[in-house]
Amino acid sequence: MAKFINPFTDVGFKRIFGQEISKPVLIAFLNALLDGERKIVDLQYLDKEQPGETIDNRSLIYDVYCKLDNDDYIIVEMQNKSQPFFKNRSIYYISRSISRQGEPGNDWVYDVKAVYIIALLNFHRDDISKEFRTDVALMDMKHKTLFSDKMRLIYLQLPYFTKDLDDCETLFEKLIYVLKHMDVLQRMPWLAQDAVFQKLASIADVASLSKDERIAYDENLRIYRDNIAVYEGQYLEGRAEGLVEGEAKGRAEERLINARSLKENGIPMDIIIKSLHLTEEEIEQL
């Protein structure tokens, strides 16, 4: 039985990052992520469900939504399944957070606070990059300089993080390692080095769940495993179909090559058709 909760489940992720008791873990993670840029001292959890601005607009639900001590905002998302328009979705999430900062009346002068979205992806998207971490901001295209710091998108593609435990040097690398392997760890590493791992061990221990929390977590874990099985099945099915299609295409191309050779050597049309199972039109186009 697993010692720690699976952070890729909704229940597990929100227990680790999305409750008051886990605030020190989230702050440590964000400071490690943004090391050298800024230091977060405190943050406030906000309502994760954002209703539509009009009756016709759809609402949205963030995994974790916070306001920082300097009034900037951070959205933290965990995604297990790729989506066709995932980049557009993350831009939409940021845009909604920015638009909701507007105040009624003529006195507001568009004093927009920055919004960060941190997306932990349990898959890789080559249209984002082929690296573990990708940082995106608004840029001056000509001079390649930062145009505005009000929109920041940080994608962390976990399959590209391949460091072993002994290779992790920074706090950020250690936290990513623990998140990626937490559901198979029997003990929390680096307990004596940093209090954040002590805190993480206490809130992520399956034994610390109440009876109701354990029931909810077990059901959530079952759904997660079922979804993973479906994704893997779809992948394998698609791969098998691709191999079959590739083999069929290869055989068709080989028949056309042979037909061209027979045609160039004066073999009668009816013999080529009968031998290679091609139509007269296909052969004439060679």
Side-chain angles (χ1 to χ4, degrees):
M1 181 177 294
K3 166 72 173 172
F4 301 107
I5 58 178
N6 188 320
F8 302 120
T9 62
D10 288 339
V11 170
F13 185 75
K14 289 168 185 174
R15 182 173 179 83
I16 291 170
F17 284 127
Q19 54 181 354
E20 283 295 327
I21 195 173
S22 57
K23 185 187 290 188
V25 176
L26 179 58
I27 291 175
F29 174 77
L30 294 175
N31 281 332
L33 176 76
L34 302 173
D35 186 36
E37 296 185 36
R38 59 160 303 162
K39 181 75 172 180
I40 298 168
V41 177
D42 196 13
L43 57 81
Q44 172 190 358
Y45 286 106
L46 302 177
D47 188 354
K48 297 185 290 293
E49 184 170 359
Q50 299 297 301
E53 295 177 351
T54 70
I55 193 171
D56 296 324
N57 289 140
R58 64 184 296 179
S59 62
L60 57 84
I61 301 176
Y62 304 125
D63 285 344
V64 176
Y65 188 36
C66 304
K67 188 174 185 179
L68 305 183
D69 43 34
N70 69 340
D71 292 335
D72 286 345
Y73 296 83
I74 283 191
I75 303 162
V76 186
E77 288 282 306
M78 167 65 80
Q79 295 293 323
N80 285 306
K81 182 183 178 183
S82 181
Q83 298 176 348
F85 300 102
F86 179 76
K87 288 193 295 185
N88 291 352
R89 174 184 170 179
S90 53
I91 294 170
Y92 174 74
Y93 274 21
I94 279 188
S95 300
R96 280 288 296 271
S97 180
I98 290 176
S99 69
R100 295 189 70 84
Q101 296 179 39
E103 298 177 3
N106 298 323
D107 295 334
W108 188 61
V109 290
Y110 297 92
D111 182 21
V112 171
K113 303 301 180 182
V115 180
Y116 295 67
I117 185 166
I118 317 297
L120 291 95
L121 310 182
N122 201 18
F123 53 87
H124 53 71
R125 286 288 299 256
D126 290 345
D127 63 335
I128 293 176
S129 76
K130 294 184 178 181
E131 299 178 352
F132 161 59
R133 177 172 178 169
T134 302
D135 286 74
V136 180
L138 294 176
M139 180 184 72
D140 182 307
M141 294 290 289
K142 180 178 180 180
H143 300 289
K144 310 300 181 186
T145 56
L146 184 68
F147 176 74
S148 172
D149 63 354
K150 301 305 181 183
M151 297 179 68
R152 178 78 175 275
L153 303 95
I154 302 177
Y155 300 98
L156 304 175
Q157 300 184 80
L158 296 177
Y160 285 126
F161 184 85
T162 58
K163 289 195 173 187
D164 293 327
L165 186 147
D166 293 336
D167 297 326
C168 296
E169 299 177 354
T170 66
L171 176 60
F172 179 65
E173 291 174 345
K174 293 174 182 178
L175 286 169
I176 292 296
Y177 178 88
V178 168
L179 287 174
K180 186 171 181 179
H181 300 284
M182 182 179 292
D183 62 328
V184 297
L185 293 175
Q186 290 305 309
R187 57 177 298 275
M188 184 66 65
W190 304 296
L191 278 173
Q193 298 180 19
D194 198 304
V196 67
F197 295 104
Q198 299 173 17
K199 188 67 174 179
L200 191 54
S202 67
I203 63 177
D205 194 330
V206 172
S208 69
L209 301 176
S210 68
K211 181 179 178 180
D212 290 342
E213 289 171 337
R214 181 61 187 269
I215 292 172
Y217 170 66
D218 286 345
E219 175 62 16
N220 203 224
L221 183 61
R222 181 192 65 78
I223 294 171
Y224 166 77
R225 288 171 173 168
D226 287 348
N227 288 338
I228 291 298
V230 170
Y231 304 155
E232 290 179 347
Q234 291 173 341
Y235 169 76
L236 293 174
E237 182 179 341
R239 186 178 180 185
E241 290 177 354
L243 290 173
V244 171
E245 291 175 0
E247 291 174 356
K249 183 178 180 180
R251 288 195 296 270
E253 291 175 349
E254 184 179 359
R255 287 201 303 272
L256 292 175
I257 292 172
N258 292 336
R260 184 182 295 109
S261 177
L262 293 174
K263 181 180 178 182
E264 291 173 350
N265 284 279
I267 302 301
M269 178 74 73
D270 58 335
I271 295 178
I272 299 176
I273 293 173
K274 186 176 181 181
S275 299
L276 298 175
H277 304 289
L278 296 171
T279 66
E280 182 174 344
E281 181 180 356
E282 289 173 325
I283 296 171
E284 288 179 345
Q285 290 176 354
L286 297 174

